[in-house]
PDB file of all heavy atoms in Angstrom:
ATOM      1  N   ASN A 214     -10.265   7.778   6.747  1.00 95.00           N
ATOM      2  CA  ASN A 214     -10.764   8.722   7.720  1.00 95.00           C
ATOM      3  C   ASN A 214     -11.489   7.981   8.811  1.00 95.00           C
ATOM      4  O   ASN A 214     -12.108   6.943   8.532  1.00 95.00           O
ATOM      5  CB  ASN A 214     -11.784   9.688   7.098  1.00 95.00           C
ATOM      6  CG  ASN A 214     -11.216  10.420   5.918  1.00 95.00           C
ATOM      7  OD1 ASN A 214     -10.362  11.295   6.068  1.00 95.00           O
ATOM      8  ND2 ASN A 214     -11.681  10.150   4.700  1.00 95.00           N
ATOM      9  N   ASP A 215     -11.458   8.490  10.046  1.00 97.00           N
ATOM     10  CA  ASP A 215     -12.403   8.044  11.048  1.00 97.00           C
ATOM     11  C   ASP A 215     -13.702   8.839  10.899  1.00 97.00           C
ATOM     12  O   ASP A 215     -13.726   9.827  10.170  1.00 97.00           O
ATOM     13  CB  ASP A 215     -11.814   8.308  12.443  1.00 97.00           C
ATOM     14  CG  ASP A 215     -11.072   7.071  12.974  1.00 97.00           C
ATOM     15  OD1 ASP A 215     -10.749   6.187  12.192  1.00 97.00           O
ATOM     16  OD2 ASP A 215     -10.793   7.042  14.174  1.00 97.00           O
ATOM     17  N   SER A 216     -14.723   8.412  11.614  1.00 98.00           N
ATOM     18  CA  SER A 216     -16.032   9.054  11.650  1.00 98.00           C
ATOM     19  C   SER A 216     -16.163   9.716  13.049  1.00 98.00           C
ATOM     20  O   SER A 216     -15.908   9.065  14.033  1.00 98.00           O
ATOM     21  CB  SER A 216     -17.132   8.108  11.377  1.00 98.00           C
ATOM     22  OG  SER A 216     -18.388   8.704  11.560  1.00 98.00           O
ATOM     23  N   GLN A 217     -16.707  10.918  13.045  1.00 98.00           N
ATOM     24  CA  GLN A 217     -17.009  11.565  14.352  1.00 98.00           C
ATOM     25  C   GLN A 217     -18.133  10.896  15.092  1.00 98.00           C
ATOM     26  O   GLN A 217     -18.216  10.832  16.296  1.00 98.00           O
ATOM     27  CB  GLN A 217     -17.322  13.052  14.139  1.00 98.00           C
ATOM     28  CG  GLN A 217     -16.176  13.932  13.661  1.00 98.00           C
ATOM     29  CD  GLN A 217     -16.620  15.341  13.523  1.00 98.00           C
ATOM     30  OE1 GLN A 217     -17.628  15.776  14.088  1.00 98.00           O
ATOM     31  NE2 GLN A 217     -15.896  16.084  12.706  1.00 98.00           N
ATOM     32  N   LEU A 218     -19.077  10.295  14.263  1.00 97.00           N
ATOM     33  CA  LEU A 218     -20.325   9.715  14.792  1.00 97.00           C
ATOM     34  C   LEU A 218     -20.233   8.189  14.709  1.00 97.00           C
ATOM     35  O   LEU A 218     -19.325   7.654  14.083  1.00 97.00           O
ATOM     36  CB  LEU A 218     -21.516  10.274  14.106  1.00 97.00           C
ATOM     37  CG  LEU A 218     -21.605  11.815  14.129  1.00 97.00           C
ATOM     38  CD1 LEU A 218     -22.776  12.294  13.292  1.00 97.00           C
ATOM     39  CD2 LEU A 218     -21.749  12.357  15.519  1.00 97.00           C
ATOM     40  N   GLY A 219     -21.213   7.528  15.280  1.00 96.00           N
ATOM     41  CA  GLY A 219     -21.214   6.090  15.314  1.00 96.00           C
ATOM     42  C   GLY A 219     -21.585   5.410  14.024  1.00 96.00           C
ATOM     43  O   GLY A 219     -22.009   6.068  13.099  1.00 96.00           O
ATOM     44  N   CYS A 220     -21.355   4.136  13.973  1.00 97.00           N
ATOM     45  CA  CYS A 220     -21.710   3.317  12.834  1.00 97.00           C
ATOM     46  C   CYS A 220     -23.244   3.451  12.523  1.00 97.00           C
ATOM     47  O   CYS A 220     -24.039   3.372  13.410  1.00 97.00           O
ATOM     48  CB  CYS A 220     -21.391   1.865  13.078  1.00 97.00           C
ATOM     49  SG  CYS A 220     -21.803   0.781  11.708  1.00 97.00           S
ATOM     50  N   GLY A 221     -23.490   3.750  11.210  1.00 97.00           N
ATOM     51  CA  GLY A 221     -24.894   3.878  10.823  1.00 97.00           C
ATOM     52  C   GLY A 221     -25.488   5.280  11.033  1.00 97.00           C
ATOM     53  O   GLY A 221     -26.745   5.459  10.868  1.00 97.00           O
ATOM     54  N   ALA A 222     -24.701   6.253  11.427  1.00 98.00           N
ATOM     55  CA  ALA A 222     -25.198   7.589  11.713  1.00 98.00           C
ATOM     56  C   ALA A 222     -25.675   8.349  10.449  1.00 98.00           C
ATOM     57  O   ALA A 222     -26.444   9.248  10.522  1.00 98.00           O
ATOM     58  CB  ALA A 222     -24.125   8.418  12.421  1.00 98.00           C
ATOM     59  N   HIS A 223     -25.165   7.886   9.281  1.00 98.00           N
ATOM     60  CA  HIS A 223     -25.472   8.504   7.988  1.00 98.00           C
ATOM     61  C   HIS A 223     -25.231   9.978   7.961  1.00 98.00           C
ATOM     62  O   HIS A 223     -26.030  10.761   7.395  1.00 98.00           O
ATOM     63  CB  HIS A 223     -26.933   8.189   7.613  1.00 98.00           C
ATOM     64  CG  HIS A 223     -27.180   6.747   7.269  1.00 98.00           C
ATOM     65  ND1 HIS A 223     -26.896   6.181   6.119  1.00 98.00           N
ATOM     66  CD2 HIS A 223     -27.690   5.724   8.046  1.00 98.00           C
ATOM     67  CE1 HIS A 223     -27.173   4.900   6.095  1.00 98.00           C
ATOM     68  NE2 HIS A 223     -27.658   4.614   7.278  1.00 98.00           N
TER      69      HIS A 223
END
Side-chain angles (χ1 to χ4, degrees):
N214 304 289
D215 268 15
S216 172
Q217 293 181 21
L218 305 175
C220 179
H223 291 280

